[in-house]
Structures are given as C-alpha cells and as structure tokens.
C-alpha cells in the first residue's frame, strides 16, 4: 500500500527546531549538564487549591460523561465574571464565550470557520507558529506583518498594501507578545479596531500572557477598546496564569458571530474539555488569586538576574514588562541559529533561534525564564565564561 500524506501536510514549513532538538540530545548524551531556556512551559506546579478541585470533581461520576451543556455554561459564566473584574468588560456567557481544550486548539480551528481556500489572513512575524498553521490547514495564505524593534514590535498597519488589506479575512495579534515580550498600547489597539472596521477583517487577539506582567504593570484586553467586540475576539488560556499547560483548558470571548463560528467547528470535531478540568478551571478563575502574584514575583526575580547578566556581557535586549521571554539581539558576526548553537554546544545552554518564529526573527534569540534562579545564575556564568 502506498501511503501518502496530504498536500496540506507535505507543504508545511520545515520544523526549524528539529536540528536544535537533535543537537540538544547529542550534547545531553555526552553527559553535559543542560540548562534549558528553550521551551515556554512553566516549571512551577499548579496551585494546590486547583488540584484539590480537580480531585473532588474527578470522584463525581456525573463528570465522567460527555461534558453537559450546563457544565460548560458554568465555566463560561465564570469567564464572564473574570472579564468583568479584571478588565471591566461585559460578556454574555451564553453567546460571547466558548470553552477551549487549550487556546492552541481554538486558534488552530478558528480559520476553518472563516477562511476559504485561497483567502488571505494577516499574521505577525515573528509569531507563535499556530496562527499560520491554522490558516494553511483551512487553505488560506498568510500575509506576514513584520514586528521590528523600530516599531516597538507592533505591526505597522499603514505598510500593509491596500489590496492585501482589502482581501484579508482575519488578523491574528498577540500581546503581551511571544516571542518578543512586547506589549500593546491602547492607541495601537484603537488603530486595529479602525483598520478592521474599514477593511472588514476579523481580529483574533491572543492574550495568553495578559496575567504574566511585572512591576505593577497590568496589560489591557483588546476587548476593552470601544468597538473591539464588534470586530473580533480574544483568546485566553489558564496555561500560563495558573501553571496549567498540561490540563488543556482555555477560552475565547468576543463577537458572538465569531464565537459561534468557532463553536460550530468545535461541535463537529470535539465534545469539550473534561468537565472535572472545567470545574478546576472555575476554581482557578474565582479562587484566591495570590498564586498569580506569587508566579509574577518568581518570574520577575528570574528576569532581573538574567537581564542584568545578559546586559553586562554587552548583549542588547528590552526589559520585558510582561511574558517570561527575553528577546535578545545576537552579537556581531552571528546568525540566530549560529548563536543558539554556540550557547548549546559550548555552554550547555538551550535557547531558541528567533528565525524559528519567522524570518523577521532572524538576528534574535529567545530565552524563557523557566528554570529557577540558581540555574539562571549558572547560565549567566557559563555564557560569560565561553564568551562570544
Ligand atoms: C503558551 C501560549 C498559548 C497557550 O496555549 P494553550 O494551548 O492554552 O496551552 C497561546 N498562545 C501563545 C502565544 C502561547 O505562547
């Protein structure tokens, strides 16, 4: 039998981290101690009260069946209450919220509801790869909006050719941003709403890092902007806020027609998140939020140690006000891949080459603050000693 993969799979962009994964294993197999600043996955455990809520819910046979409509609704209602408290945004839990099996799931599925083969979507570069992948799987094509330092890593909407803006169906945005750690201003979001209205573009804002911010800074929601709910939606996740990446629970909120379209795709593909996980998610959103302050304090400490060390070596980067990423310019004479390779093979420090997030990421590496401060200090010492 001749098994052949579909064109949509065969034409996927090459996985740029494959070579890095191979080298990492090679270095590890030589017995070298590896400090992994590569993966954006919190190393801290899920807070106890959320685990307890899951344990109780897992014991209840009512939660062993397909999630019920009301079970789903209880979580959505909690999402609406959380939006109200956190951002002052009012949502109709029945029409304007959908529960996701992690926000990645919703991001990947959303284009299936709105993109026809041949359609265009606007996607940042560098970016979380799932935006472009979701558009490809729906048969669409991404127009990449470069995020450059000179424009504070915000897309320059005025540079998008009018024929592209005219035919674009949707736009993905992500602030606080992975991988650049940039944050969006209210003025920028206002210009996005105007642009989207003018060109009839659905805006999908990914706010996975809205709670991971430092020095008293509180990122805004896209839905806070006047008119935002009439042009788009916002994706959210419990993954980063509550150290729940493995639990697979997130949500999207905003325009009821957009939420409805995503919901229609989902109801034909999955049957919702495990109800016990939704109940634990309710506990996360409405319970004591001191665990979130704790998470921010820990990452801020790590950030300060790493930023200070990196700057002392003469490398350039912006101090992140949010996210657990440092977006660092590579030194003279190196490419992203070359510098990543140098740090790994000479120092045992794993970082991510910026071009893995898109061609505009060339010239940068990303470090994630996902090891404790002793290991971060050790990484700084090693990089200092190997030099570059
Ligand atoms: C981590 C991350 C998410 C969250 O993904 P989940 O599927 O909810 O775990 C979403 N967007 C970006 C940009 C991320 O980095």
């Amino acid at each position: 039998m001749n098994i052949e993969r579909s064109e949509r799979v065969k034409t996927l962009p090459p996985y740029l981290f494959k070579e890095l994964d191979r080298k990492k294993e090679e270095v590890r197999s030589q017995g070298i101690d590896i400090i992994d600043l590569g993966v954006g996955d919190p190393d801290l455990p899920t807070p106890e009260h959320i685990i307890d809520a899951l344990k109780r819910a897992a014991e209840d046979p009512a939660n062993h069946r397909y999630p019920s409509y009301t079970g789903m609704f209880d979580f959505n209602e909690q999402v609406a209450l959380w939006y109200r408290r956190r951002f002052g945004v009012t949502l109709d839990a029945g029409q304007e919220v959908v529960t996701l099996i992690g926000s990645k799931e919703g991001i990947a599925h959303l284009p299936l509801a709105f993109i026809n083969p041949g359609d265009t979507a606007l996607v940042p570069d560098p970016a979380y790869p799932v935006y472009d992948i979701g558009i490809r799987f729906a048969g669409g094509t991404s127009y990449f909006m470069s995020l450059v330092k000179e424009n504070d890593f915000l897309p320059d909407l005025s540079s998008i050719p009018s024929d592209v803006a005219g035919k674009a169906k949707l736009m993905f945005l992500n602030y606080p941003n992975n991988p650049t750690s940039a944050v969006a201003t209210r003025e920028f979001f206002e210009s996005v709403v105007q642009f989207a209205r003018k060109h009839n573009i659905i805006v999908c804002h990914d706010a996975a890092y809205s709670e991971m911010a430092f020095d008293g800074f509180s990122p805004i929601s896209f839905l806070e902007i006047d008119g935002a709910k009439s042009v788009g939606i916002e994706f959210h996740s419990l993954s980063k806020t509550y150290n729940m990446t493995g639990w697979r629970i997130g949500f999207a909120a905003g325009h009821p027609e957009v939420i409805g379209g995503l919901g229609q795709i989902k109801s034909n593909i999955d049957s919702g998140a495990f109800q016990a996980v939704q109940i634990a998610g309710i506990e996360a959103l409405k319970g004591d939020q001191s665990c979130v302050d704790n998470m921010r304090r820990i990452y801020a400490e790590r950030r300060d140690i790493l930023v200070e060390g990196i700057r002392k070596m003469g490398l350039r980067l912006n101090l992140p006000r949010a996210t657990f990423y440092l977006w660092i310019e590579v030194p003279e004479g190196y490419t992203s891949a070359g510098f990543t390779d140098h740090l790994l093979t000479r120092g045992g420090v794993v970082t991510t080459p910026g071009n893995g997030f898109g061609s505009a990421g060339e010239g940068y590496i990303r470090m994630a603050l996902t090891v404790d401060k002793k290991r971060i200090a050790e990484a700084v010492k090693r990089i200092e000693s190997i030099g570059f």
Side-chain angles (χ1 to χ4, degrees), residues 255-383:
H255 197 306
E257 294 293 324
V258 182
I259 294 297
L262 175 55
Q264 190 180 4
I265 296 292
K266 282 177 58 59
S267 65
N268 282 281
I269 293 179
D270 65 64
S271 302
F274 179 25
Q275 206 158 272
V277 169
Q278 295 195 44
I279 290 167
I282 290 171
E283 178 59 31
L285 291 174
K286 82 169 180 194
D288 184 2
Q289 299 297 301
S290 58
C291 56
V292 184
D293 287 327
N294 198 38
M295 173 271 291
R296 293 184 189 114
R297 210 193 55 244
I298 291 169
Y299 290 129
E301 264 181 22
R302 295 176 179 180
R303 175 199 66 168
D304 291 344
I305 297 167
L306 194 51
V307 168
E308 193 194 320
I310 295 283
R311 282 188 170 158
K312 266 197 186 135
M313 294 174 215
L315 293 173
R316 280 199 299 246
L317 80 163
N318 289 334
L319 179 73
R321 299 176 72 197
T323 78
F324 54 5
Y325 302 114
L326 306 190
W327 189 238
I328 302 162
E329 293 180 45
V330 302
E332 279 281 315
Y334 283 95
T335 59
S336 295
F339 196 49
T340 294
D341 188 62
H342 174 72
L343 297 178
L344 172 59
T345 53
R346 301 281 308 281
V349 177
V350 177
T351 60
T352 310
N355 62 319
F357 302 99
S359 57
E362 179 54 52
Y364 290 85
I365 60 164
R366 191 192 74 177
M367 290 187 186
L369 301 165
T370 47
V371 300
D372 67 28
K373 28 180 203 183
K374 261 178 62 188
R375 296 289 280 167
I376 291 215
E378 167 71 17
V380 169
K381 248 175 48 196
R382 286 195 201 173
I383 300 170

Side-chain angles (χ1 to χ4, degrees), residues 102-104 107 128 131 174 178 206 208-209 237 239-240 245 248 325:
S103 57
K104 180 179 185 178
I107 291 166
Y128 187 55
Y131 312 135
N174 163 223
N178 174 11
D206 179 356
Y209 296 94
S237 172
S239 288
K240 311 293 164 48
T245 47
R248 312 315 301 134
Y325 302 114

